[in-house]
Amino acid sequence: MKSFIVGNWKMNFSVGESSVYLHKLSQRIRAYRDIEVVVAPSFLALQPLSLQIDRKKMRLAAQTANARDFGPYTGEVSCTQLRGIVDYCLVGHSDRRYLFHESDKEIRATVAAAIRNQIRPILCLGETATEKTFGETHDVLRDQLLGGLSEVSQEDLDKVVLAYDPVWAISTTTDAHLASPDEVGENVKFLRQVLADTYGKDIAEKMSILYGGSVNPSNAGAYLTIPGVNGLIMSNASLVADQFVEIVEIAKRVQS
């Protein structure tokens, strides 16, 4: 199964800086058939970077999108507008859920809209520190998973990529700390069991599940060797070329 290394640049880099940084990555990242490297710059940079990017080495992702195809939604960008520019779209990232209050209804509609527009959604799932403390992790993950996939047909499930991205482990949160490989493994195993119970064992085995949460070169190898984890999604490490390239090389060594 192919591994994914996804870099979420969040609200960093101007258009010019994004272009320079992408050029630097292109010079240093090698093309691997079994590793999909994906970068998610800001909306402003997506269109010019789509003309610059070497798709043999990397793919583009949007950081979010509006589920509606068009209409009077000032400031929004739809999957229809992104079609042909990006290959992937992050959906339900914790920043969107908890900072911008995206609802479960919006998230599942965006997953469906991405697929409808030939864009692969990366559906992000994860519990907060409070939910973890009260033992609600599995309930939260089940609800986010099944809710996010509720408008996806059985035939289209293979187009979805999942990302377990616990809010309490993200480096930008005040209470962030590293998730242990055992914790990650347990929750990824749980997600696959929910998939198997709902959609069948074949879907559960084939769906890619990534891990995100303070990923860096020091811990990337440990996370990539967890059974059932098919790649990583990262933010801070993706903004530093040396770290980004090193993590891609770590993923290749793990694949070998």
Side-chain angles (χ1 to χ4, degrees):
M1 184 180 287
K2 184 176 289 189
S3 291
F4 291 80
I5 301 296
V6 181
N8 178 11
W9 296 357
K10 299 197 174 185
M11 198 172 68
N12 293 288
F13 299 145
S14 66
V15 174
E17 290 167 342
S18 296
S19 177
V20 170
Y21 185 56
L22 183 68
H23 178 69
K24 183 185 294 185
L25 290 177
S26 295
Q27 289 183 313
R28 299 182 58 185
I29 287 178
R30 290 185 283 180
Y32 293 121
R33 206 174 275 182
D34 51 358
I35 297 177
E36 185 93 307
V37 179
V38 182
V39 294
S42 68
F43 273 131
L44 281 173
L46 281 174
Q47 197 279 332
L49 263 56
S50 73
L51 303 177
Q52 174 186 343
I53 196 166
D54 181 351
R55 286 182 169 80
K56 293 179 181 178
K57 294 184 176 182
M58 285 176 281
R59 301 285 178 153
L60 278 180
Q63 295 179 13
T64 186
N66 192 289
R68 302 166 185 85
D69 289 339
F70 57 86
Y73 306 105
T74 302
E76 293 296 284
V77 177
S78 71
C79 290
T80 303
Q81 293 171 308
L82 291 167
R83 185 169 56 197
I85 296 175
V86 303
D87 295 291
Y88 296 88
C89 180
L90 305 183
V91 183
H93 189 279
S94 60
D95 290 347
R96 305 303 307 177
R97 290 181 190 267
Y98 299 108
L99 296 180
F100 297 98
H101 309 293
E102 283 188 1
S103 67
D104 292 339
K105 180 180 179 181
E106 290 175 296
I107 289 166
R108 65 174 175 260
T110 304
V111 170
I115 293 172
R116 185 169 67 245
N117 286 282
Q118 291 80 57
I119 296 169
R120 293 190 71 180
I122 301 175
L123 175 60
C124 300
L125 317 165
E127 76 281 17
T128 65
T130 300
E131 290 164 342
K132 179 176 184 286
T133 299
F134 283 96
E136 299 170 352
T137 295
H138 285 183
D139 291 334
V140 170
L141 293 181
R142 182 188 296 107
D143 289 348
Q144 291 180 350
L145 174 63
L146 297 181
L149 297 179
S150 61
E151 294 186 14
V152 180
S153 68
Q154 188 89 8
E155 295 73 24
D156 285 332
L157 284 169
D158 63 348
K159 298 179 174 69
V160 180
V161 177
L162 301 178
Y164 174 50
D165 200 22
V167 184
W168 52 268
I170 296 174
S171 57
T172 51
T173 63
T174 56
D175 56 354
H177 68 276
L178 290 177
S180 71
D182 286 345
E183 287 177 296
V184 176
E186 177 191 344
N187 290 325
V188 167
K189 182 179 179 181
F190 172 76
L191 288 170
R192 290 201 186 275
Q193 187 59 55
V194 174
L195 288 169
D197 293 343
T198 308
Y199 302 107
K201 186 177 179 181
D202 189 52
I203 292 293
E205 291 177 349
K206 288 183 178 179
M207 189 169 287
S208 295
I209 302 181
L210 318 183
Y211 173 70
S214 301
V215 172
N216 59 58
S218 298
N219 58 37
Y223 290 134
L224 285 167
T225 53
I226 297 169
V229 171
N230 308 114
L232 303 171
I233 181 169
M234 55 193 176
S235 53
N236 288 352
S238 73
L239 302 176
V240 182
D242 288 345
Q243 295 186 28
F244 201 148
V245 172
E246 185 176 354
I247 289 172
V248 172
E249 291 303 313
I250 290 169
K252 179 58 183 175
R253 290 198 295 272
V254 170
Q255 279 276 27
S256 301

